[in-house]
Amino acid sequence: MGHVANRVISASPPLSPLLWSVWLMVLITAAAMPARFKRMKNKQDSPFTLFLKGLPMITVIFLVCVNGGFPQAAPHARWMLAGLIFCLGGDIVLGIHFIAGGGLFLTGHICYVIGLLGQQTLAPVHGILFVLVLGLLVVFLSLFRSRMPDKRLFPAVCVYAAALAGLMAAALPLPFTARSPQAYLAALGAVLFVVSDMTLCDNMLNTRPLRNEYISLGIYYTAQFLLGASLFTVL
């Protein structure tokens, strides 16, 4: 009987890559964020605090490369990894030049869309979702139009909203076609990414307590981690 128990124990699967990756991501983020939050309160940046802001994303990219089997990955995975890298650049550059940082995020979203669509067949549902989500986002942005410091920003923000709508349209049907844990992670990550940008917009253009900025940043890092974890070959 003891031999049977030993065999059962030895046959138990190892700790899921997703679980230990979550632990590492939380550990790195918890270590990096206090100094970053202090900077957010003082509205001052330095190379060190910008590095701290990008450190969780660096961790996500590292975890993707470890778990995703790169560099022999499929083309869609390469596009998703490119999206992570462009968003990392946007993370850092945003604290230096807002428009340039936004451009990097826009490029990252386009890479995500290409990567997500590369895992499925393009169908009418993608176009329908794109139009619906874009319409909702434009209505949301219209509520803040009068508070924007430069009225010329609104068309540019609408272009960014189109990229977000594309991300949602590409991600939401994926669980119904791929039916895998990775597909669900990608869909949830896309939804949270849009939510994080909506909260960021609200925080920037309205007077909100500092905790709202912490929450928005936490949602953002979670979204990026989930998009990255969707590339894990084993869950």
Side-chain angles (χ1 to χ4, degrees):
M1 194 63 156
H3 295 296
V4 174
N6 287 336
R7 284 199 297 272
V8 171
I9 292 172
S10 63
S12 299
L15 186 64
S16 165
L18 181 62
L19 291 179
W20 69 258
S21 298
V22 168
W23 175 82
L24 180 58
M25 177 68 179
V26 170
L27 184 66
I28 296 294
T29 305
M33 282 306 97
R36 177 62 189 172
F37 288 164
K38 184 177 180 181
R39 172 266 139 195
M40 290 171 64
K41 184 176 180 180
N42 296 331
K43 301 299 181 184
Q44 296 176 344
D45 249 321
S46 69
F48 180 65
T49 56
L50 288 174
F51 168 75
L52 289 181
K53 187 184 180 187
L55 186 56
M57 279 296 296
I58 294 172
T59 309
V60 172
I61 292 170
F62 168 76
L63 292 173
V64 167
C65 292
V66 169
N67 288 285
F70 288 91
Q72 293 83 21
H76 78 268
R78 293 175 181 272
W79 280 107
M80 295 292 288
L81 179 61
L84 288 169
I85 294 172
F86 276 111
C87 287
L88 167 62
D91 248 344
I92 297 172
V93 174
L94 202 64
I96 303 171
H97 192 283
F98 184 80
I99 300 297
L104 287 171
F105 271 114
L106 176 64
T107 306
H109 286 310
I110 293 172
C111 291
Y112 282 148
V113 170
I114 296 173
L116 291 168
L117 290 178
Q119 304 175 57
Q120 52 194 310
T121 302
L122 197 63
V125 66
H126 294 103
I128 294 170
L129 281 172
F130 175 79
V131 172
L132 288 175
V133 175
L134 179 58
L136 291 173
L137 288 176
V138 171
V139 170
F140 172 80
L141 291 171
S142 298
L143 301 175
F144 301 92
R145 187 171 187 175
S146 61
R147 297 186 179 93
M148 291 184 180
D150 187 340
K151 304 307 179 189
R152 292 173 297 180
L153 280 176
F154 186 74
V157 174
C158 287
V159 171
Y160 185 81
L164 289 177
L167 177 65
M168 291 279 279
L172 291 182
L174 193 58
F176 300 97
T177 55
R179 297 185 181 278
S180 65
Q182 290 88 345
Y184 286 98
L185 292 179
L188 181 57
V191 171
L192 289 180
F193 207 136
V194 174
V195 171
S196 73
D197 277 341
M198 293 173 72
T199 57
L200 175 63
C201 179
D202 181 62
N203 291 335
M204 290 178 62
L205 300 176
N206 290 302
T207 303
R208 303 298 185 197
L210 187 59
R211 68 172 178 271
N212 287 35
E213 297 187 42
Y214 302 164
I215 293 170
S216 179
L217 199 58
I219 296 172
Y220 164 73
Y221 286 135
T222 303
Q224 292 283 32
F225 173 77
L226 291 174
L227 287 168
S230 72
L231 300 178
F232 290 4
T233 53
V234 179
L235 291 180

